[in-house]
Amino acid sequence: TTCAPDSLLAQQGKRGKQDMLLAPISRRRAIIAGTGMFIGVTKAERDRVPSLADVPALAGYVGDFYPFAEAQTLPPFKFRDVAGRTYAIADLIGRVLLLNFWATWCAPCVYEMPGLDRLQAGFSENDFLVVALNEDRERPEAIENFLRARGLRHLGLFIDPAENAMHACAVPAMPTSFMIDRAGRARGILPGAAPWDSAAGRALVAYYVAGN
């Protein structure tokens, strides 16, 4: 089942996109739950599930990292790099992925990008890859220049100009990040920006890189 963000808004009544972006995390989780997909658990819930008790906590600026009680199979979707090559998540498995949905017009997205860049710099791309998936409709060169102008040189640039991936994953707001294990399964979600290059962010990535 897939559900586009606009459909999620319709389920919640006639609210605007800005209201969705500013919605309390409890309501965002309810909206995600309404799709039947990607329902994370809170810290209190996690502490009651033995398999999740050791997952490092990462507090975001709006919502925390919510691990899934069971690994989730991602819906099929395609995206591209700036050279026009087409990818699926299956093409990148064998390493841990952080699938981050972002856009140049999204201030929280832009705010967290330097941290994502530093996070990537701290891990080998053979073990861990930030898949920064851009949702702009600009030319790829313009998006690439946007990153390079800010000194972000460790992030690969991927684009989703038709928003197919965003719709398939029922992304509730941007930024949103999914942690994906080496087998290509989603292990958790963090809606909103987060300090990914903090000790907590690095510990979370290291936990999944270690094969947990």
Side-chain angles (χ1 to χ4, degrees):
T1 301
T2 60
C3 190
D6 285 344
S7 298
L8 299 180
L9 288 170
Q11 293 171 14
Q12 297 299 308
K14 294 182 178 180
R15 298 190 178 99
K17 288 189 177 182
Q18 182 68 19
D19 185 44
M20 178 64 180
L21 291 171
L22 298 176
I25 191 63
S26 59
R27 197 171 85 220
R28 287 195 197 170
R29 291 187 69 232
I31 293 171
I32 298 171
T35 72
M37 298 173 59
F38 303 132
I39 305 170
V41 300
T42 65
K43 183 179 186 303
E45 293 166 339
R46 180 179 61 200
D47 291 343
R48 293 194 295 268
V49 181
S51 63
L52 300 180
D54 295 332
V55 178
L58 175 59
Y61 302 120
V62 175
D64 300 338
F65 176 75
Y66 298 106
F68 301 141
E70 297 181 4
Q72 302 282 320
T73 300
L74 288 163
F77 57 84
K78 300 283 188 179
F79 52 95
R80 305 199 314 262
D81 65 12
V82 292
R85 291 182 292 258
T86 300
Y87 292 85
I89 289 297
D91 298 322
L92 301 173
I93 61 174
R95 53 194 151 182
V96 173
L97 308 175
L98 185 66
L99 176 61
N100 174 265
F101 290 86
W102 75 284
T104 60
W105 49 260
C106 165
C109 301
V110 175
Y111 181 81
E112 79 169 351
M113 295 301 283
L116 287 169
D117 191 68
R118 291 189 292 268
L119 177 70
Q120 181 65 80
F123 288 88
S124 166
E125 290 189 5
N126 294 324
D127 288 322
F128 171 70
L129 182 67
V130 176
V131 181
L133 189 52
N134 181 268
E135 298 297 329
D136 285 277
R137 294 176 181 266
E138 300 288 340
R139 291 177 302 143
E141 313 89 81
I143 302 166
E144 190 170 31
N145 290 339
F146 180 91
L147 291 179
R148 302 306 172 238
R150 287 157 177 78
L152 306 178
R153 307 195 180 277
H154 298 100
L155 295 178
L157 177 57
F158 300 94
I159 57 176
D160 180 33
E163 300 180 350
N164 292 328
M166 184 178 74
H167 291 176
C169 291
V171 172
M174 284 193 285
T176 288
S177 298
F178 291 93
M179 189 70 71
I180 300 171
D181 65 19
R182 294 180 187 271
R185 304 169 303 175
R187 300 293 296 275
I189 185 173
L190 198 157
W196 285 106
D197 63 327
S198 65
R202 292 192 298 271
L204 180 61
V205 171
Y207 174 84
Y208 289 107
V209 167
N212 294 296

